[in-house]
Amino acid sequence: MNIDTIITQPFDDQRPGTSGLRKKVKVFQTPHYLENFVQAIFDTQVDLKGGTLVLGGDGRYYNREAIQVILRMASGNGVKKVLVGRGGLLSTPAASCLIRHYKTDGGIILSASHNPGGPDEDFGIKFNTPNGGPAPESVTDAIFQRTTEIAEYQIAQSKPIDLDILGSITLGETQIEIIDPVKDYADLMMALFDFNRIRMLFESGMFSMRFDAMHAITGPYATEILEGRLGAEPGTVINGTPKTDFGGGHPDPNLVHAHQLVALTKGAHAVNFAAASDGDGDRNMILGCNFFVTPSDSLAIMVANAHLIKGYSGGISGVARSMPTSQAADRVADKLGLPCYETPTGWKFFGNLLDARKITLCGEESFGTGSDHIREKDGLWAVLFWLNLLAVKQQSVEKIVTDHWKAFGRNYYTRYDYEAIDKTDAEALMASLRDKLATLPGQSLNGYPIEYADDFAYTDPVDGSVSERQGIRVGFADGSRIVFRLSGTGTEGATLRVYLEAYEEDPSKQLQSTESVMTALVDIALNLAEIEKRTGRTKPSVIT
Ligand code: G16
């Protein structure tokens, strides 16, 4: 086997964002672009030499080509064994599961998550460490640093490898094992949830469900688990065949992009339960009959009910949420006497807390929930958690959520996204907010007294690392909050996110529309950040 050393030059834009390096496919197709980043991983993650790597992606456009390149580079860099999902496919949670299950030296996941796919759309790559989780900032910083000085990469000469047949192949000194992408993950789910009870729910004839895989990676997983192992009727999984362009859709499980599913929860033939997952399978949306569960509420309800679920019945050690996620989980943790952590946006910040067993459950407003079973958020896991809860409680989704509000209060929640705005304008807007911070506490805006205003900074309680400038928080005396931050996952210009939260303790006021409750807070946010003046936008691109 010949190994070529290819001379290359650094690119200056390979700093990973919130979750890996995400760019347009065309950028990744630039000669040496993908290779430089992959070589930077091999150069900095030295245990991979002679070690084992998990490799797979969400099946989007360019997935197969990138897998071929990475396999040849793994061989060129002395990796002993690579576990690859058949067809080059692995959901993000399944990759995390495999890294942990087979105790590998890490994994490379190809995905741009919920971003659209296709020749003119997005692609992404990220490295997960041996704990199965996204690389922490110390690792991504080292990889980035390496990309700025890289001068050559190693790649084995080889014909394309057949990714579609299970079994073992050798490439030089490297063993490549093509494995079933679903089996180990599905087995793990069976260990955590009461499959018999959920099966009885499906068999009762009183319960119907649809799961929208959005033509993305969870199709094969959901079909095997829901229709195969749990006996849900065929057709429960819709849009279940992964496509390189996600069928032209936007594989983001929210009320806007999963509208086909939302429609199935309304009208005379509405299903009792509906759920969706995203491009790479780590996000989830939970719906009841004509009812939407906010991701923040979903986390809080999981914490409150974990004792009813097989895998968590022994008790949970604590909970964490990302800073912009609503404080609903905090209220549950408070009542149950559990520790609750507030971390910056990015699943990677949960890793240390999970490894140190400080928390068992964690979640984010961006449609992500998960637990210590792996080190990624997990879309299907969340769906199974809810199914298990429905099977135990024998109540509707709406009843479970509204009872929860009565017990803990309701955190009304909404997020406004201003996508693809000018980067300089976005940074100026944030800078101007920062300038105002010191003078805000004590002021009253639209009758809302401000209690605190800061730029969120996080000190990791396990390793002491500090992450600064993680978003502007403005907190009001009644528990309401406005948060401003710039997205770290977009690939075009900048995306401003405005997160709004209003707390309501009085059950008689818990059934208002979120829009009406938020009017005053929205007004405060628009004025405080001077959004229209600074971005030229009169309305957000998406409201979730
Ligand atoms: C990633 C991160 C999440 C984060 C989300 C949105 O999710 O893992 O922690 O909440 O991006 O980040 P941002 O607001 O910076 O765009 P995913 O599903 O895209 O991998």
Side-chain angles (χ1 to χ4, degrees):
M1 172 71 45
N2 288 333
I3 293 171
D4 292 331
T5 296
I6 309 287
I7 304 301
T8 186
Q9 283 187 341
F11 293 90
D12 63 6
D13 63 346
Q14 296 200 318
R15 181 185 282 285
T18 309
S19 184
L21 184 67
R22 289 188 193 167
K23 300 280 174 197
K24 293 284 172 206
V25 166
K26 295 254 169 356
V27 175
F28 271 103
Q29 287 171 326
T30 311
H32 311 307
Y33 193 89
L34 171 70
E35 291 85 345
N36 277 17
F37 192 77
V38 173
Q39 187 63 48
I41 295 175
F42 287 127
D43 287 347
T44 52
Q45 306 311 302
V46 290
D47 289 347
L48 290 173
K49 197 179 174 74
T52 303
L53 176 74
V54 167
L55 177 62
D58 64 11
R60 67 178 58 229
Y61 188 87
Y62 201 54
N63 192 67
R64 279 182 178 262
E65 292 81 350
I67 297 262
Q68 296 289 348
V69 168
I70 297 168
L71 285 174
R72 288 166 54 211
M73 289 187 67
S75 179
N77 282 277
V79 175
K80 191 167 158 221
K81 188 171 176 181
V82 188
L83 302 173
V84 193
R86 184 180 45 218
L89 298 180
L90 280 180
S91 76
T92 292
S96 183
C97 163
L98 291 172
I99 294 169
R100 294 171 69 77
H101 187 69
Y102 294 104
K103 300 189 171 40
T104 75
D105 301 285
I108 293 179
I109 304 175
L110 305 174
S111 169
S113 186
H114 52 289
N115 296 7
D120 297 317
E121 299 295 352
D122 294 351
F123 190 75
I125 174 167
K126 68 172 182 167
F127 177 70
N128 278 33
T129 48
N131 75 345
E137 279 184 342
S138 55
V139 173
T140 53
D141 284 351
I143 294 171
F144 170 63
Q145 182 55 37
R146 184 66 190 146
T147 66
T148 63
E149 59 204 26
I150 198 155
E152 58 182 43
Y153 60 85
Q154 277 72 45
I155 185 161
Q157 293 178 354
S158 155
K159 289 191 301 222
I161 288 161
D162 188 344
L163 299 173
D164 296 308
I165 298 173
L166 296 179
S168 202
I169 315 160
T170 50
L171 183 58
E173 302 291 302
T174 306
Q175 185 193 345
I176 296 171
E177 251 186 71
I178 312 287
I179 60 171
D180 179 339
V182 178
K183 185 185 172 299
D184 291 301
Y185 175 82
D187 290 349
L188 177 60
M189 293 302 111
M190 285 186 84
L192 294 173
F193 300 108
D194 189 341
F195 271 42
N196 286 336
R197 207 144 179 182
I198 302 174
R199 177 179 276 277
M200 277 158 59
L201 181 68
F202 281 123
E203 283 170 358
S204 69
M206 308 289 289
F207 181 79
S208 56
M209 166 187 183
R210 289 291 176 273
F211 176 85
D212 190 349
M214 304 189 88
H215 291 301
I217 190 70
T218 42
Y221 292 86
T223 306
E224 162 69 15
I225 294 172
L226 298 175
E227 297 182 13
R229 300 193 186 193
L230 286 167
E233 61 173 343
T236 295
V237 178
I238 60 171
N239 301 320
T241 307
K243 295 190 176 162
T244 54
D245 66 349
F246 306 118
H250 194 132
D252 197 356
N254 60 38
L255 294 173
V256 179
H257 296 304
H259 51 84
Q260 183 194 358
L261 182 75
V262 175
L264 298 174
T265 65
K266 300 192 168 162
H269 302 289
V271 293
N272 308 96
F273 180 58
S277 191
D278 70 331
D280 63 331
D282 57 2
R283 297 185 173 207
N284 74 89
M285 176 172 69
I286 301 293
L287 301 166
C289 180
N290 208 9
F291 196 86
F292 166 64
V293 186
T294 70
S296 300
D297 277 349
S298 180
L299 173 66
I301 289 165
M302 286 177 174
V303 177
N305 292 286
H307 60 284
L308 300 174
I309 308 297
K310 182 172 140 188
Y312 306 92
S313 55
I316 59 174
S317 60
V319 57
R321 62 163 174 85
S322 67
M323 182 272 281
T325 304
S326 98
Q327 299 159 98
D330 306 33
R331 299 197 176 267
V332 181
D334 193 39
K335 270 204 180 173
L336 301 185
L338 289 168
C340 180
Y341 298 85
E342 181 175 41
T343 60
T345 296
W347 202 262
K348 58 194 171 199
F349 292 101
F350 295 136
N352 277 350
L353 298 172
L354 289 163
D355 286 349
R357 298 182 186 272
K358 287 183 178 294
I359 59 168
T360 306
L361 297 173
C362 42
E364 299 184 289
E365 52 69 38
S366 57
F367 294 82
T369 25
S371 86
D372 59 356
H373 68 291
I374 55 169
R375 293 294 180 272
E376 288 278 3
K377 56 186 181 274
D378 191 343
L380 263 172
W381 169 90
V383 175
L384 291 165
F385 194 114
W386 269 92
L387 270 174
N388 201 152
L389 190 58
L390 292 169
V392 172
K393 289 208 162 210
Q394 300 283 325
Q395 291 170 340
S396 69
V397 172
E398 179 171 359
K399 170 98 174 107
I400 291 175
V401 178
T402 50
D403 279 357
H404 181 90
W405 293 339
K406 279 185 201 145
F408 297 96
R410 176 173 182 188
N411 291 72
Y412 285 97
Y413 191 83
T414 191
R415 184 177 104 182
Y416 281 29
D417 289 345
Y418 297 83
E419 292 172 350
I421 55 179
D422 181 81
K423 220 173 170 168
T424 317
D425 290 348
E427 274 156 14
L429 180 150
M430 292 300 286
S432 140
L433 277 172
R434 265 184 207 109
D435 288 345
K436 292 179 188 165
L437 287 177
T439 60
L440 288 177
Q443 278 191 48
S444 204
L445 300 177
N446 288 16
Y448 280 74
I450 300 180
E451 207 169 70
Y452 64 88
D454 62 10
D455 193 350
F456 182 60
Y458 177 69
T459 304
D460 186 299
V462 179
D463 65 16
S465 57
V466 177
S467 304
E468 288 174 328
R469 295 163 84 93
Q470 297 294 324
I472 307 277
R473 300 188 295 185
V474 181
F476 300 91
D478 67 348
S480 304
R481 259 194 349 168
I482 303 174
V483 172
F484 302 90
R485 64 176 278 281
L486 298 182
S487 156
T489 56
T491 54
E492 225 181 311
T495 294
L496 169 69
R497 302 203 197 284
V498 184
Y499 312 80
L500 303 135
E501 172 181 2
Y503 180 64
E504 182 54 72
E505 196 162 15
D506 180 354
S508 72
K509 294 184 185 156
Q510 287 173 350
L511 298 178
Q512 305 170 68
S513 79
T514 301
E515 205 187 338
S516 65
V517 171
M518 292 294 178
T519 319
L521 282 175
V522 168
D523 206 45
I524 295 173
L526 296 180
N527 288 327
L528 194 60
E530 302 170 301
I531 293 181
E532 184 170 346
K533 182 180 129 200
R534 291 183 174 276
T535 68
R537 300 289 173 87
T538 51
K539 56 178 185 357
S541 335
V542 185
I543 299 179
T544 46

